[in-house]
Amino acid sequence: MSKKCLVVDDSKVIRKVARHILETLDFTVDEAVDGRDALDQCLETPPDVVLLDWNMPVMSGMEFLRALRQSDLPIRPKVVFCTTENGMGHIRAAIEAGADEYVMKPFDRETLESKLQIVGLA
């Protein structure tokens, strides 16, 4: 059975690139345009992993992450933050808020695959 990834990004281009890479890694991919949309989808059908953008309208990546961690899902998806924010403070904040891993944009297949391996999904 293939693993499911929810790609959360307000950029259509990034979602398309991520989808392409993930599908070559045998993931089934769903997309969300912001954190609110992503949260609704996760509560309805939790994916195995969420590839999460930091800066989005409506609900940011951090707000989504906090809400997801407070939800009563029996099995929480792994969360890989995907962002242009590369300061150590951002990385620390993301990990403290419950992110499992962190990938910098722009990313390639190799980088994304290694991060998914780290969280146990590749």
Side-chain angles (χ1 to χ4, degrees):
M1 195 169 119
S2 74
K3 299 168 293 274
K4 191 170 148 193
C5 180
L6 178 62
V7 177
V8 189
D9 202 303
D10 55 332
S11 161
K12 192 174 183 175
V13 173
I14 297 288
R15 291 197 312 270
K16 192 175 175 179
V17 168
R19 170 185 285 278
H20 177 73
I21 292 172
L22 288 157
E23 286 176 346
T24 68
L25 297 170
D26 293 328
F27 277 84
T28 301
V29 182
D30 286 325
E31 297 179 20
V33 294
D34 60 54
R36 176 83 261 159
D37 182 18
L39 190 60
D40 293 344
Q41 288 191 49
C42 283
L43 297 176
E44 198 175 306
T45 335
D48 297 296
V49 62
V50 177
L51 191 61
L52 182 65
D53 184 27
W54 191 286
N55 301 306
M56 293 178 291
V58 187
M59 181 188 257
S60 73
M62 285 297 274
E63 291 167 328
F64 162 82
L65 190 53
R66 289 192 190 102
L68 181 69
R69 294 303 181 221
Q70 288 164 1
S71 73
D72 53 7
L73 285 175
I75 297 169
R76 296 215 172 93
K78 297 285 186 192
V79 175
V80 177
F81 247 121
C82 173
T83 182
T84 52
E85 307 286 354
N86 62 353
M88 279 314 292
H90 273 96
I91 297 170
R92 197 174 305 112
I95 300 297
E96 283 170 6
D100 298 286
E101 224 358 287
Y102 199 93
V103 66
M104 294 304 305
K105 288 179 189 173
F107 52 83
D108 56 20
R109 185 181 190 273
E110 213 171 282
T111 309
L112 191 53
E113 187 175 17
S114 73
K115 296 295 184 178
L116 291 167
Q117 282 171 344
I118 292 168
V119 300
L121 285 167

Coordinates of all heavy atoms in Angstrom, one line a residue, residues 68-109:
L68 N -2.5 20.8 14.8 CA -2.4 19.3 14.6 C -2.0 18.6 15.8 O -2.5 17.6 16.2 CB -1.4 19.1 13.4 CG -1.3 17.6 13.0 CD1 -2.5 17.1 12.3 CD2 -0.1 17.4 12.1
R69 N -1.0 19.1 16.5 CA -0.4 18.5 17.7 C -1.5 18.5 18.9 O -1.4 17.6 19.7 CB 0.9 19.2 18.2 CG 2.0 19.0 17.2 CD 2.3 17.5 16.9 NE 3.5 17.3 16.0 CZ 3.5 16.4 15.1 NH1 2.5 15.7 14.8 NH2 4.6 16.3 14.3
Q70 N -2.4 19.5 18.8 CA -3.4 19.5 19.9 C -4.6 18.7 19.5 O -5.5 18.5 20.4 CB -3.8 21.0 20.1 CG -2.8 21.8 20.8 CD -3.0 23.3 20.8 OE1 -3.9 23.7 20.1 NE2 -2.1 24.0 21.3
S71 N -4.7 18.2 18.3 CA -5.9 17.4 17.9 C -5.9 16.1 18.5 O -4.8 15.7 19.1 CB -5.9 17.3 16.4 OG -4.9 16.3 16.0
D72 N -7.0 15.4 18.5 CA -7.0 14.1 19.1 C -6.9 12.9 18.1 O -7.5 11.8 18.3 CB -8.3 13.9 20.0 CG -9.6 14.2 19.2 OD1 -9.5 14.4 17.9 OD2 -10.6 14.3 19.8
L73 N -6.1 13.1 17.1 CA -5.9 12.1 16.1 C -5.2 10.9 16.8 O -4.2 11.2 17.5 CB -5.0 12.6 14.9 CG -5.7 13.5 13.9 CD1 -4.7 14.0 12.9 CD2 -6.8 12.7 13.2
P74 N -5.6 9.7 16.6 CA -4.9 8.5 17.2 C -3.5 8.4 16.7 O -2.6 8.1 17.5 CB -5.8 7.3 16.9 CG -6.6 7.8 15.7 CD -6.7 9.3 15.8
I75 N -3.3 8.6 15.4 CA -1.9 8.5 14.9 C -1.6 9.8 14.2 O -2.4 10.2 13.2 CB -1.8 7.3 13.8 CG1 -2.1 6.0 14.6 CG2 -0.4 7.3 13.2 CD1 -2.2 4.8 13.6
R76 N -0.6 10.5 14.6 CA -0.3 11.8 14.0 C 0.6 11.7 12.9 O 1.6 10.9 13.0 CB 0.3 12.7 15.1 CG -0.6 13.0 16.2 CD -0.5 14.4 16.8 NE -1.6 14.7 17.7 CZ -1.5 14.5 19.0 NH1 -0.4 14.0 19.5 NH2 -2.5 14.7 19.8
P77 N 0.4 12.4 11.8 CA 1.3 12.3 10.7 C 2.6 12.9 11.0 O 2.7 13.8 11.9 CB 0.6 13.2 9.6 CG -0.6 13.8 10.2 CD -0.8 13.3 11.6
K78 N 3.7 12.4 10.4 CA 5.0 13.0 10.5 C 4.9 14.4 9.8 O 4.2 14.5 8.8 CB 6.1 12.2 9.8 CG 6.2 10.8 10.4 CD 7.0 10.9 11.7 CE 7.3 9.5 12.2 NZ 7.8 9.6 13.6
V79 N 5.7 15.4 10.2 CA 5.6 16.7 9.6 C 7.0 17.1 9.2 O 8.0 17.1 10.0 CB 5.0 17.8 10.5 CG1 5.1 19.1 9.9 CG2 3.6 17.4 10.9
V80 N 7.2 17.4 7.9 CA 8.5 17.9 7.4 C 8.2 19.3 6.9 O 7.5 19.6 6.0 CB 9.0 17.1 6.2 CG1 10.3 17.7 5.6 CG2 9.2 15.6 6.6
F81 N 8.8 20.3 7.7 CA 8.7 21.7 7.3 C 9.5 21.9 6.1 O 10.6 21.4 5.9 CB 9.2 22.6 8.4 CG 8.2 23.4 9.1 CD1 7.9 23.3 10.4 CD2 7.4 24.3 8.3 CE1 6.9 24.1 11.0 CE2 6.4 25.1 8.9 CZ 6.2 24.9 10.3
C82 N 9.0 22.7 5.2 CA 9.6 23.0 3.9 C 9.6 24.5 3.7 O 8.5 25.0 3.5 CB 8.8 22.2 2.8 SG 9.3 22.6 1.2
T83 N 10.7 25.1 3.7 CA 10.7 26.6 3.8 C 12.0 27.2 3.3 O 13.0 26.6 3.2 CB 10.3 27.1 5.2 OG1 10.2 28.5 5.2 CG2 11.4 26.6 6.2
T84 N 11.9 28.5 3.0 CA 13.0 29.3 2.7 C 13.7 29.9 3.9 O 14.8 30.4 3.9 CB 12.7 30.5 1.7 OG1 11.6 31.2 2.3 CG2 12.2 30.0 0.4
E85 N 13.0 29.8 5.1 CA 13.5 30.3 6.3 C 14.6 29.4 6.9 O 14.3 28.3 7.3 CB 12.4 30.4 7.4 CG 11.1 31.1 7.0 CD 11.3 32.6 6.9 OE1 12.4 33.1 7.4 OE2 10.4 33.3 6.5
N86 N 15.8 29.8 6.8 CA 16.9 28.9 7.2 C 17.6 29.2 8.5 O 18.6 28.6 8.8 CB 17.9 28.7 6.1 CG 18.6 29.9 5.7 OD1 18.2 31.0 6.2 ND2 19.5 29.9 4.8
G87 N 17.1 30.2 9.2 CA 17.8 30.6 10.5 C 17.6 29.5 11.5 O 16.6 28.8 11.6
M88 N 18.6 29.3 12.4 CA 18.6 28.3 13.4 C 17.4 28.5 14.3 O 16.8 27.5 14.8 CB 19.9 28.2 14.2 CG 21.0 27.5 13.6 SD 20.6 25.9 12.9 CE 20.2 24.9 14.4
G89 N 17.0 29.7 14.5 CA 15.9 30.0 15.4 C 14.6 29.5 14.8 O 13.7 28.9 15.5
H90 N 14.4 29.6 13.5 CA 13.2 29.0 12.8 C 13.2 27.5 12.9 O 12.2 26.9 13.2 CB 13.3 29.4 11.3 CG 12.6 30.7 11.0 ND1 13.3 31.9 10.9 CD2 11.3 31.0 10.8 CE1 12.5 32.9 10.7 NE2 11.3 32.4 10.6
I91 N 14.4 26.9 12.7 CA 14.5 25.4 12.7 C 14.1 24.9 14.1 O 13.3 24.0 14.3 CB 15.9 25.0 12.3 CG1 16.1 25.3 10.8 CG2 16.0 23.5 12.5 CD1 17.5 25.2 10.3
R92 N 14.7 25.6 15.1 CA 14.5 25.2 16.5 C 13.0 25.4 16.9 O 12.4 24.5 17.5 CB 15.3 26.0 17.5 CG 15.4 25.4 18.9 CD 16.4 26.2 19.8 NE 17.7 26.3 19.2 CZ 18.3 27.5 18.8 NH1 17.6 28.6 18.9 NH2 19.5 27.5 18.3
A93 N 12.4 26.5 16.5 CA 11.0 26.7 16.7 C 10.1 25.7 16.1 O 9.1 25.2 16.7 CB 10.6 28.1 16.2
A94 N 10.4 25.3 14.9 CA 9.6 24.3 14.2 C 9.7 22.9 14.9 O 8.7 22.2 15.1 CB 10.1 24.1 12.7
I95 N 10.9 22.5 15.3 CA 11.1 21.3 16.0 C 10.4 21.3 17.3 O 9.7 20.3 17.7 CB 12.6 20.9 16.1 CG1 13.3 20.8 14.8 CG2 12.8 19.7 16.9 CD1 12.9 19.8 13.8
E96 N 10.5 22.4 18.0 CA 9.9 22.5 19.3 C 8.4 22.5 19.2 O 7.7 21.9 20.1 CB 10.3 23.8 20.1 CG 11.7 23.7 20.7 CD 12.2 25.0 21.2 OE1 11.5 26.0 21.2 OE2 13.4 25.0 21.6
A97 N 7.8 23.0 18.1 CA 6.4 23.0 17.9 C 5.9 21.6 17.4 O 4.7 21.3 17.4 CB 6.0 24.0 16.8
G98 N 6.8 20.7 17.1 CA 6.4 19.3 16.8 C 6.8 18.8 15.4 O 6.4 17.8 15.0
A99 N 7.5 19.6 14.7 CA 8.0 19.2 13.3 C 9.0 18.0 13.5 O 9.7 18.0 14.5 CB 8.6 20.3 12.5
D100 N 8.9 17.1 12.6 CA 9.9 15.9 12.7 C 11.2 16.2 11.9 O 12.2 15.7 12.3 CB 9.2 14.7 12.1 CG 8.0 14.3 12.9 OD1 8.1 13.8 14.1 OD2 6.8 14.6 12.5
E101 N 11.1 17.0 10.9 CA 12.2 17.2 10.1 C 12.0 18.6 9.3 O 11.0 19.2 9.4 CB 12.4 16.1 9.1 CG 13.8 15.5 8.8 CD 15.0 16.1 9.5 OE1 15.4 17.2 9.1 OE2 15.5 15.4 10.4
Y102 N 13.0 19.0 8.6 CA 13.1 20.3 8.0 C 13.8 20.2 6.7 O 14.9 19.6 6.6 CB 13.9 21.1 9.0 CG 13.7 22.6 8.9 CD1 12.8 23.3 9.6 CD2 14.5 23.3 8.0 CE1 12.6 24.6 9.5 CE2 14.4 24.7 7.9 CZ 13.4 25.3 8.6 OH 13.3 26.7 8.5
V103 N 13.2 20.8 5.6 CA 13.9 20.8 4.3 C 13.9 22.2 3.7 O 12.9 22.9 3.9 CB 13.3 19.7 3.4 CG1 11.9 20.1 3.0 CG2 14.1 19.6 2.1
M104 N 15.0 22.6 3.1 CA 15.1 23.9 2.6 C 14.6 24.0 1.1 O 14.8 23.1 0.4 CB 16.6 24.4 2.5 CG 17.2 24.6 3.9 SD 16.3 25.7 4.9 CE 16.2 27.2 3.9
K105 N 13.9 25.1 0.8 CA 13.6 25.3 -0.6 C 14.7 26.0 -1.3 O 15.3 26.9 -0.6 CB 12.3 26.2 -0.7 CG 11.0 25.5 -0.3 CD 9.9 26.6 -0.5 CE 8.6 26.1 0.1 NZ 7.6 27.2 0.1
P106 N 15.0 25.8 -2.5 CA 14.4 24.8 -3.4 C 15.0 23.4 -3.0 O 16.2 23.3 -2.7 CB 14.8 25.2 -4.8 CG 16.1 25.9 -4.6 CD 16.0 26.6 -3.3
F107 N 14.2 22.4 -3.0 CA 14.7 21.0 -2.7 C 14.7 20.2 -3.9 O 14.0 20.5 -4.9 CB 13.9 20.4 -1.6 CG 12.4 20.4 -1.8 CD1 11.9 19.4 -2.6 CD2 11.6 21.4 -1.3 CE1 10.5 19.4 -2.9 CE2 10.3 21.4 -1.6 CZ 9.7 20.5 -2.4
D108 N 15.5 19.1 -3.9 CA 15.4 18.1 -5.0 C 15.0 16.8 -4.5 O 14.8 16.6 -3.3 CB 16.8 18.1 -5.7 CG 17.9 17.7 -4.7 OD1 17.7 17.2 -3.7 OD2 19.1 18.0 -5.1
R109 N 14.9 15.8 -5.4 CA 14.4 14.5 -5.0 C 15.3 13.8 -3.9 O 14.8 13.3 -3.0 CB 14.4 13.6 -6.3 CG 13.8 12.2 -6.0 CD 13.8 11.4 -7.3 NE 13.1 10.2 -7.2 CZ 13.6 9.1 -6.7 NH1 14.8 9.0 -6.3 NH2 12.8 8.0 -6.7

